[in-house]
Amino acid sequence: QVQLVESGGGLVQAGSSLRLSCAASGRTFNTYAMGWFRQAPGKEREFVAAIRWSGGSIGYADSVKGRFTISRDNGLNTVYLQMNSLKAEDTAVYYCAGTSKVRSIVDFYFWAATYDSWGQGTQVTVSS
């Protein structure tokens, strides 16, 4: 079991930046990939970005490409989501997730059902 704790959310103005962190503990040696998802009020949870634990991003949602960057620090067992040029439509609860599943199809990691472990979420609110 992997425990995930997100931090770094907050209230910012449009055009600002935030960096979210996700600290992992427990059986992290089984983790193959980490992802960030978000859920806005009244909407389904959606994929944001994913990265292999060993390094190398897997992909980004079209809505965040060029603005968000996912990275990890294996020494700290932490995954980050750097969010720049924030927009009001980025407002959501952001969740990090981890999976031990290994698949060759990249899109597999865009699906929430792929992930075994989830954090409690951190709120990001962008005012326009």
Side-chain angles (χ1 to χ4, degrees):
Q1 188 77 9
V2 176
Q3 291 77 47
L4 303 173
V5 179
E6 303 96 334
S7 61
L11 171 62
V12 296
Q13 291 187 333
S16 300
S17 298
L18 274 178
R19 187 177 80 159
L20 305 183
S21 300
C22 174
S25 61
R27 299 172 65 88
T28 58
F29 57 87
N30 273 343
T31 301
Y32 176 76
M34 297 289 292
W36 283 97
F37 289 76
R38 66 186 182 186
Q39 188 166 18
K43 295 187 177 181
E44 293 187 355
R45 190 169 298 189
E46 65 173 1
F47 170 76
V48 176
I51 189 169
R52 294 178 182 83
W53 192 250
S54 61
S57 66
I58 293 174
Y60 295 88
D62 288 342
S63 58
V64 307
K65 278 181 184 175
R67 300 188 298 122
F68 291 11
T69 303
I70 189 170
S71 62
R72 90 281 178 267
D73 185 327
N74 287 358
L76 295 177
N77 280 351
T78 300
V79 175
Y80 304 99
L81 185 68
Q82 178 67 44
M83 307 186 294
N84 298 329
S85 302
L86 283 162
K87 305 175 182 180
E89 50 263 43
D90 294 318
T91 295
V93 177
Y94 284 71
Y95 299 89
C96 73
T99 181
S100 58
K101 302 179 181 70
V102 180
R103 299 288 188 276
S104 58
I105 301 173
V106 170
D107 287 7
F108 182 74
Y109 297 99
F110 298 176
W111 307 330
T114 294
Y115 294 83
D116 311 305
S117 303
W118 291 84
Q120 82 289 350
T122 185
Q123 175 71 47
V124 172
T125 303
V126 184
S127 63
S128 57

